[in-house]
Amino acid sequence: MRNITTSAYTPTEFTIENISDTVAKISAWPFEIGYGITLAHPLRRLLYTSTIGYAPTAIYIDGVAHEFDSMRGMLEDVALFIINLKKLRFKIKGDSNKEIVEFNFKGSKEIYGKDLDNNQVEVVNTDAYLATINEDAELKFTLIIEKGIGYVPSEEIKELLEDPKFIALDAFFTPVREATYDIEKVLFEDNPDYEKVVLTVTTDGQITPNEAFQNALEAMYKQLSVFDKITNVRSMIKNQATTNELENTKLLQNITDLNLSARSYNCLEKAGILYIGELALMSVNELAGLKNLGKKSLDEIKNIMESIGFPVGTSKLSDNKEILKNKIAELKAQNEG
């Protein structure tokens, strides 16, 4: 029999199974029925669209006018060379978001991904084929490699290029090759209807599946943070209501309204205490520590404060202490002005 609850159960179990350097299974459970897909589906989308990767965004090839040109001494035409280039998966070394990298190959040679490794960038798929040049050829080209997310078409990149000699490339930044999920039934507290989410993430090696998953989570948290404004508004309304409530109490009245003896009043005034709320905020020890405040005056103040419903060191204020302090500070500033 299902119990009546007032909130959904919060999952407590989480595991990561690293199948290889580029494949991992990420599991979480137990979710209330229906909650699994609510979480898994947007995470899958974010894995594809929000995971940070690297891609060549533009190329300049010495002696080549456009992407449909050909180059003497290279087996491939320029279009095929660019297709092969897009298959290479780069990583920028260091913290830079953009690198402009120059390459120069001469003589008879088959060029692979590993040949493009240098102190600026690393090629993950080192065995990927790029081009073949003959003994009379020189292949000299410059690549712009950038950090980004998702997919950016060459038309948009072209608008960003500062040097018109570069050919803009379609940029496939996402390092996530595949992201799938399964929703499995799991037994929890004798209830077989709870769910387990199993996400399988495959990357191209630019980053690990764990890093990709972390990117997706961060993106989700940031997108949802817009709704924090609702909490802030509620807090502002609550604070305003509390301020209004405080203004309707004796706490913001002057200590003259307590009808204290002259000795007690003078002692408080010399200590800079002007409002009843200041006494409510003080502990008994703080009050007793005031200069020239004797036991008789201490007892008088304590008794009067208790009689108005706000004993010295009262716990009634709880979360409203800061609001009261700020309001009193505001009143004092107005009086000084």
Side-chain angles (χ1 to χ4, degrees):
M1 180 178 176
R2 188 183 179 112
N3 294 326
I4 296 174
T5 58
T6 57
S7 62
Y9 182 79
T10 302
T12 55
E13 304 300 320
F14 175 79
T15 63
I16 298 178
E17 180 187 355
N18 292 311
I19 298 172
S20 69
D21 291 340
T22 58
V23 183
K25 282 191 175 182
I26 301 157
S27 304
W29 74 96
F31 289 94
E32 297 268 6
I33 189 167
Y35 277 69
I37 193 169
T38 301
L39 173 75
H41 189 67
L43 274 176
R44 178 180 179 272
R45 290 178 63 89
L46 288 170
L47 279 163
Y48 282 121
T49 60
S50 300
T51 307
I52 297 170
Y54 307 88
T57 57
I59 186 171
Y60 168 70
I61 307 173
D62 226 16
V64 170
H66 51 78
E67 60 188 297
F68 302 109
D69 206 345
S70 59
M71 198 192 90
R72 187 179 65 82
M74 184 168 72
L75 178 63
E76 293 76 16
D77 57 28
V78 173
L80 182 55
F81 173 78
I82 289 176
I83 290 173
N84 291 340
L85 179 68
K86 289 178 182 178
K87 294 177 183 177
L88 299 183
R89 303 308 291 163
F90 292 90
K91 289 175 69 174
I92 292 177
K93 296 178 179 178
D95 299 326
S96 174
N97 290 335
K98 178 179 178 179
E99 289 288 345
I100 299 176
V101 194
E102 296 182 352
F103 300 97
N104 193 358
F105 299 99
K106 294 180 180 179
S108 179
K109 182 176 180 59
E110 288 187 348
I111 306 168
Y112 293 89
K114 61 185 177 183
D115 298 310
L116 274 63
D117 267 350
N118 59 25
N119 60 357
Q120 291 174 274
V121 296
E122 170 191 348
V123 177
V124 175
N125 49 341
T126 55
D127 294 333
Y129 173 77
L130 182 59
T132 298
I133 56 176
N134 64 31
E135 62 275 5
D136 299 322
E138 179 179 7
L139 175 59
K140 186 177 181 180
F141 62 98
T142 304
L143 274 181
I144 298 177
I145 299 171
E146 298 189 68
K147 187 178 185 179
I149 60 172
Y151 164 73
V152 182
S154 59
E155 292 81 6
E156 294 182 17
I157 290 175
K158 187 175 182 179
E159 295 176 2
L160 302 174
L161 291 175
E162 297 176 358
D163 191 337
K165 73 181 181 182
F166 276 87
I167 300 169
L169 305 176
D170 294 320
F172 297 88
F173 289 108
T174 181
V176 175
R177 284 289 164 258
E178 187 175 25
T180 60
Y181 64 84
D182 292 309
I183 309 296
E184 302 175 355
K185 292 290 186 182
V186 64
L187 180 67
F188 177 69
E189 292 184 348
D190 297 326
N191 187 339
D193 291 329
Y194 278 83
E195 297 176 341
K196 179 178 184 179
V197 174
V198 182
L199 278 157
T200 303
V201 182
T202 304
T203 68
D204 61 14
Q206 287 185 339
I207 64 173
T208 67
N210 296 353
E211 290 170 327
F213 186 66
Q214 184 176 336
N215 280 173
L217 286 176
E218 289 174 355
M220 178 178 280
Y221 293 151
K222 286 178 181 177
Q223 294 299 310
L224 290 174
S225 68
V226 66
F227 298 112
D228 288 346
K229 293 177 182 177
I230 296 174
T231 305
N232 294 338
V233 169
R234 286 178 176 171
S235 178
M236 289 170 59
I237 293 171
K238 180 181 176 183
N239 289 347
Q240 184 59 51
T242 303
T243 300
N244 293 340
E245 182 182 334
L246 289 172
E247 289 174 348
N248 293 326
T249 69
K250 288 181 173 289
L251 292 172
L252 298 180
Q253 295 177 9
N254 196 282
I255 57 172
T256 55
D257 293 344
L258 294 177
N259 296 317
L260 295 166
S261 64
R263 185 178 182 84
S264 297
Y265 176 82
N266 290 336
C267 183
L268 293 177
E269 188 181 38
K270 286 180 181 179
I273 297 170
L274 304 179
Y275 296 96
I276 295 172
E278 292 180 88
L279 295 172
L281 290 167
M282 297 178 73
S283 68
V284 175
N285 288 338
E286 287 173 330
L287 182 61
L290 293 180
K291 188 176 180 180
N292 298 325
L293 186 73
K295 185 177 184 306
K296 187 175 180 180
S297 293
L298 175 63
D299 289 340
E300 179 191 11
I301 296 170
K302 285 170 58 180
N303 290 335
I304 291 177
M305 289 295 293
E306 190 168 347
S307 70
I308 66 172
F310 289 98
V312 175
T314 180
S315 60
K316 280 186 178 182
L317 298 173
S318 60
D319 295 337
N320 301 327
K321 285 185 177 181
E322 288 302 316
I323 297 173
L324 178 57
K325 286 179 183 178
N326 292 338
K327 191 63 181 176
I328 290 172
E330 183 183 323
L331 290 173
K332 284 187 172 182
Q334 288 173 358
N335 290 338
E336 290 173 1

